[in-house]
């Protein structure tokens, strides 16, 4: 991790900006309940940005219905996210965080259906959609 490129986050200010659920997921590595995100069924083209810092993370072109109940993408915008080995909960997973602010977004798996073979399983609460 390169600490220099990370932005400073005032956690108290952030708590006022985000809902308690968003704060828990993004800053305390929580997970939203499946099938609860409005972003799951969102239609139309646009970009999905980090709810904390506005960093553009995913394009609607890469979004697909994985059936898992979480918004899923087959690739991230290059350089927008970082991956970390995550051995919590007794599973070997790869955590995905925002490359700009370090906030937790979700996990990435290697069983994606598209040519990338990736399935970014992202909490919708972490994303803000900017429609085109
Ligand atoms: Zn961010």
């Amino acid at each position: 991790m390169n600490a220099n490129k990370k932005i400073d986050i005032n956690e108290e200010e952030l708590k006022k900006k985000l809902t308690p659920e968003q704060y828990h997921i993004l800053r305390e590595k929580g997970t939203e309940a499946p099938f609860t995100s409005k972003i799951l069924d969102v239609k139309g083209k646009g970009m999905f940005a980090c709810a904390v810092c506005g960093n553009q993370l995913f394009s609607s072109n890469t979004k697909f219905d994985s059936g898992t109940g979480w918004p899923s993408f087959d690739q991230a915008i290059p350089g927008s996210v970082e991956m970390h080995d995550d051995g919590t909960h007794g599973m070997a997973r790869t955590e995905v965080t925002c490359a700009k602010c370090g906030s937790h977004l979700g996990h990435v798996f290697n069983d994606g259906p598209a040519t990338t073979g990736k399935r970014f399983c992202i909490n919708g609460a972490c994303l803000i959609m900017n429609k085109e």
Side-chain angles (χ1 to χ4, degrees):
M1 265 204 279
N2 179 353
N4 294 324
K5 68 182 173 183
K6 294 280 193 291
I7 60 170
D8 282 332
I9 289 180
N10 181 322
E11 300 291 339
E12 291 308 311
E13 287 297 314
L14 198 57
K15 276 182 187 171
K16 290 177 201 160
K17 177 181 161 187
L18 301 176
T19 67
E21 186 195 25
Q22 280 182 308
Y23 185 87
H24 173 63
I25 295 167
L26 283 152
R27 305 303 296 171
E28 299 168 347
K29 302 185 190 299
T31 302
E32 71 192 9
F35 300 102
T36 58
S37 173
K38 292 187 191 80
I39 282 175
L40 265 186
D41 299 319
V42 79
K43 299 281 188 271
K45 292 202 176 297
M47 300 295 284
F48 295 91
C50 173
V52 172
C53 73
N55 185 25
Q56 296 207 330
L57 304 169
F58 300 97
S59 162
S60 59
N61 294 331
T62 66
K63 187 172 179 288
F64 67 96
D65 182 3
S66 64
T68 60
W70 288 281
S72 299
F73 304 86
D74 62 32
Q75 59 185 298
I77 293 167
S80 71
V81 299
E82 291 180 341
M83 324 275 189
H84 312 272
D85 289 337
D86 175 9
T88 59
H89 302 292
M91 292 178 273
R93 297 184 298 176
T94 303
E95 182 193 7
V96 180
T97 61
C98 173
K100 195 167 166 192
C101 71
S103 295
H104 174 79
L105 302 172
H107 290 87
V108 61
F109 302 91
N110 289 317
D111 58 5
T115 50
T116 61
K118 301 288 185 196
R119 172 170 60 89
F120 286 85
C121 185
I122 304 298
N123 293 288
C126 303
L127 302 174
I128 293 170
M129 185 179 188
N130 299 307
K131 289 205 173 183
E132 280 177 9

